[in-house]
Amino acid sequence: MTTASENRWATFVALGLLTATGFAIMQVTGAVPALAGALYTGLSALTAATVLVVTHRRRPPGRLGWYLLGAGQIAYTIGDALHAVSRPPHDGPAFPSVADAFYLVQYPLLVGALVAFVRRRTPGRHTPTLIDAGIIAVSVGLVSWVYLIGPLTADEGLSPAARLVTVAYPVGDLLVLVLGLRMLLGGGARTPSYLLLLTSLLTMLGADVAATLSRANAWSCFLWLATYALLGGAALHPSMDRIDAPASAHTTRTTAARLAVLAGASLLAPAVLLLRYLQGDVSDVPVIAIACALLFLLVLGRMAGMVAAQHRIAVTDGLTGLSTRRAFEEQLRAETGRRRHRGFGVVLLDIDHFKAINDEHGHAAGDRVLRDVARRLRAAARADDTVARYGGEEFAVLAPDAGEAEVAALAERVRRVVAGGTVDVGDGVHRCVTVSVGTAVLPDDTTEPDELVQLADLALYAAKRDGRDRVVAARRAPARPVHLPRSRRSEFEAA
């Protein structure tokens, strides 16, 4: 059952929208202008006070962003008050005015707040999301330039200061859009406070576009007041302290809807070019060409990132983080193709009695053993070695530039490191884990690279037969080993 305090955000939003509606009616009808101005500035000031007071009382983890939002709203409130008092009786205020300075101050504060939220929601640099936001921002920026900024700056009646301020507003909006898209497309929880804040940003951008097209009118003022109401609701909602909760890894997905949006944004530039051509206006062709080039490079970068991500998935074992068998075999072929004087070696190892661990403690315990052995294997291997999960409980190490002595030392070091500690298999039970190891070296054991893994595998079988927890080199393995199919290996180990 919800309490009255939990619904304060809804009350604030409803009263704010009601105030916005009343203001719009009074502005259209011209009734009680003093009251209309008081309602406008009052809601702006109330929103600033709400954001700052709630942030001070609740002290959310990411309060820097909220404080910056509150400071930006204070700047907007001062701008609104100056705008109201500077308006002559029968004419609009001078442009630019002192109020514009305070309006523009809000942009760096708002950008700082969004940066603070984004950095906490998705720590580090998330390139795919940044590129996606860039694709949409370039397309929207192009449309803004062609149909908003360009025509405004072409007005010869504008002073240099007026032209600069006129351009500053859409540029600030574009920065807010980029960061808003970064926050929307990135990971993290979609809490009600998060949704209210993003809706507030979208409403603000819509109000700015409306005001740019026809100066401040009833519709743009209604949207600005709605922005204040939504921002206050975002601060009052109980989820405000989780708006910047760090996202878990890999929470963003390239969905069909996301691809459709990116495709539409990418096609916007050539569509604008075609439309301007049909209109007989080619003055914006250089700008459109630059936008097309940027979009091409961004899309190319996005595709390269997706290909790299798919490659990482293909060559990385999901459980242990080691290379896969496929990646190991590709590296083996690459190593064979290099002309090295010292040759290289292969180390194969298999966890002893792994089937018994699964049977006694469950597969979750077996997974913990695999991850722990992989961690110790990485620690024991050299920096240039390729370490892979070869299959099941079997691992492989490719040691480049290594002779028989180096490979033997590596194999023994691996065996000692794995056997040097216990593994927590769950419920407070710790179990000792050992491995049997087989090695083979090229060209000492064979001159055929294709036989190298097979010889190491036979040496591994010999280590199992000799009692496990030992290293056997290919040249010391029995000349006529017992051949067992891999499907029977678990039966052999359990014996």
Side-chain angles (χ1 to χ4, degrees), residues 350-363:
D350 193 280
I351 301 176
D352 297 328
H353 303 294
F354 185 75
K355 184 177 183 299
I357 296 175
N358 273 334
D359 292 343
E360 294 176 18
H361 304 285
H363 290 284

Side-chain angles (χ1 to χ4, degrees), residues 80-111:
D80 289 338
L82 292 174
H83 180 82
V85 300
S86 64
R87 181 185 293 272
H90 303 292
D91 197 2
F95 181 78
S97 65
V98 179
D100 290 297
F102 285 94
Y103 286 144
L104 292 174
V105 164
Q106 189 207 27
Y107 284 109
L109 295 172
L110 183 53
V111 167

Side-chain angles (χ1 to χ4, degrees), residues 34-120:
L35 177 59
L39 286 175
Y40 194 100
T41 307
L43 181 57
S44 180
L46 181 60
T47 300
T50 299
V51 173
L52 293 174
V53 170
V54 172
T55 303
H56 178 72
R57 288 182 176 178
R58 299 191 62 176
R59 300 186 66 81
R63 51 188 173 274
L64 173 61
W66 287 109
Y67 278 130
L68 289 174
L69 286 177
Q73 190 61 35
I74 288 177
Y76 230 76
T77 301
I78 297 174
D80 289 338
L82 292 174
H83 180 82
V85 300
S86 64
R87 181 185 293 272
H90 303 292
D91 197 2
F95 181 78
S97 65
V98 179
D100 290 297
F102 285 94
Y103 286 144
L104 292 174
V105 164
Q106 189 207 27
Y107 284 109
L109 295 172
L110 183 53
V111 167
L114 294 177
V115 168
F117 287 146
V118 167
R119 291 186 64 180
R120 287 185 59 85

Side-chain angles (χ1 to χ4, degrees), residues 274-295:
L274 177 60
L275 183 59
R276 300 298 278 179
Y277 171 77
L278 295 176
Q279 294 173 340
D281 187 348
V282 295
S283 60
D284 296 315
V285 168
V287 175
I288 298 174
I290 293 173
C292 288
L294 288 175
L295 287 171

Side-chain angles (χ1 to χ4, degrees), residues 399-474:
D401 278 332
E404 184 178 5
E406 290 90 346
V407 172
L410 170 62
E412 180 59 26
R413 184 167 64 252
V414 166
R415 187 197 66 80
R416 288 198 315 269
V417 169
V418 173
T422 60
V423 179
D424 182 4
V425 294
D427 297 328
V429 178
H430 288 75
R431 178 157 180 162
C432 294
V433 176
T434 61
V435 292
S436 299
V437 187
T439 67
V441 180
L442 185 145
D444 295 354
D445 297 319
T446 178
T447 57
E448 297 297 329
D450 294 340
E451 296 179 0
L452 201 59
V453 175
Q454 181 181 3
L455 290 174
D457 196 36
L458 296 177
L460 172 58
Y461 272 103
K464 290 284 187 183
R465 286 194 305 272
D466 290 348
R468 297 183 174 85
D469 189 22
R470 65 193 63 227
V471 177
V472 173

